[in-house]
Amino acid sequence: GKMPSVEITKSVDYIGSAAFANASNLNTITVDSENTNYFVEDNVLYRVFNDRYGKTKYELITYPAAKVATAGTIVIKEGTVAIKAYAAAGLNSGVATKVIIPYSVKTIGSGAFALSGIKDYTFHPITAPKLLTEIMDTGLDGFRGLTYINFETTLLSFIDLNDFSNPTSSK
């Protein structure tokens, strides 16, 4: 996409997964100061919310594809509990080669770092984050799989012959 910047207005209360996944020129994100759901820190878009105990938590929504990381390293904000699907997918060449994932991260969305160019992942969590997956059609008739594409390349996929449109049947 050609969009170099995007503004999140005060009325935006939900941004879906992969909302900016094909915005290869995106470098600047701004959020209206009256928006209480989202904020930008160092041009990186986060959602803010309170957990069931009233503690403030963050979700990484998107890292702009054209924003070159300082020293080639993306440092995710402390307190971030989730990295949304495709949040840093398809980064432009030379944007980053490393990412530091803080202790607070519990889940990494499907495709979060797919085709990102990132090769060096530093995990600070004591417990490994859950890797979220998605069912993907492989293009072969009847073959669908749970595919882990959370990082630069596909880690593994489970291929099944089941007909997912009718969970009780199998071919």
Side-chain angles (χ1 to χ4, degrees):
K2 299 279 183 215
M3 123 181 114
S5 64
V6 66
E7 180 183 354
I8 311 302
T9 62
K10 68 180 179 182
S11 61
V12 174
D13 60 4
Y14 180 77
I15 298 172
S17 295
F20 304 104
N22 291 318
S24 59
N25 292 322
L26 185 59
N27 185 39
T28 307
I29 301 173
T30 55
V31 176
D32 187 298
S33 62
E34 292 182 44
N35 188 312
T36 57
N37 301 301
Y38 295 94
F39 70 96
V40 169
E41 187 170 290
D42 192 26
N43 253 341
V44 179
L45 182 63
Y46 291 90
R47 180 174 77 96
V48 60
F49 62 97
N50 289 328
D51 68 10
R52 63 181 176 219
Y53 305 110
K55 294 196 179 212
T56 302
K57 305 289 183 178
Y58 311 111
E59 179 180 41
L60 173 61
I61 303 300
T62 196
Y63 186 96
K67 179 195 173 329
V68 177
T70 305
T73 303
I74 293 171
V75 180
I76 297 171
K77 182 176 181 58
E78 293 284 348
T80 299
V81 294
I83 299 170
K84 198 154 177 101
Y86 304 98
L91 298 179
N92 292 347
S93 178
V95 164
T97 57
K98 299 179 181 179
V99 65
I100 297 173
I101 298 169
Y103 73 94
S104 52
V105 171
K106 305 285 186 251
T107 61
I108 298 175
S110 180
F113 297 100
L115 305 175
S116 64
I118 295 171
K119 305 279 192 230
D120 184 341
Y121 296 84
T122 301
F123 289 88
H124 287 189
I126 295 168
T127 306
K130 289 185 175 101
L131 301 181
L132 304 182
T133 188
E134 59 192 358
I135 295 171
M136 299 187 82
D137 191 332
T138 63
L140 301 170
D141 186 38
F143 282 86
R144 290 186 177 72
L146 296 176
T147 308
Y148 291 90
I149 56 172
N150 308 77
F151 303 109
E152 173 66 12
T153 54
T154 304
L155 290 180
L156 59 115
S157 74
F158 298 99
I159 302 299
D160 196 9
L161 281 168
N162 288 336
D163 178 356
F164 281 87
S165 62
N166 183 355
T168 58
S169 76
S170 62
K171 292 181 180 177

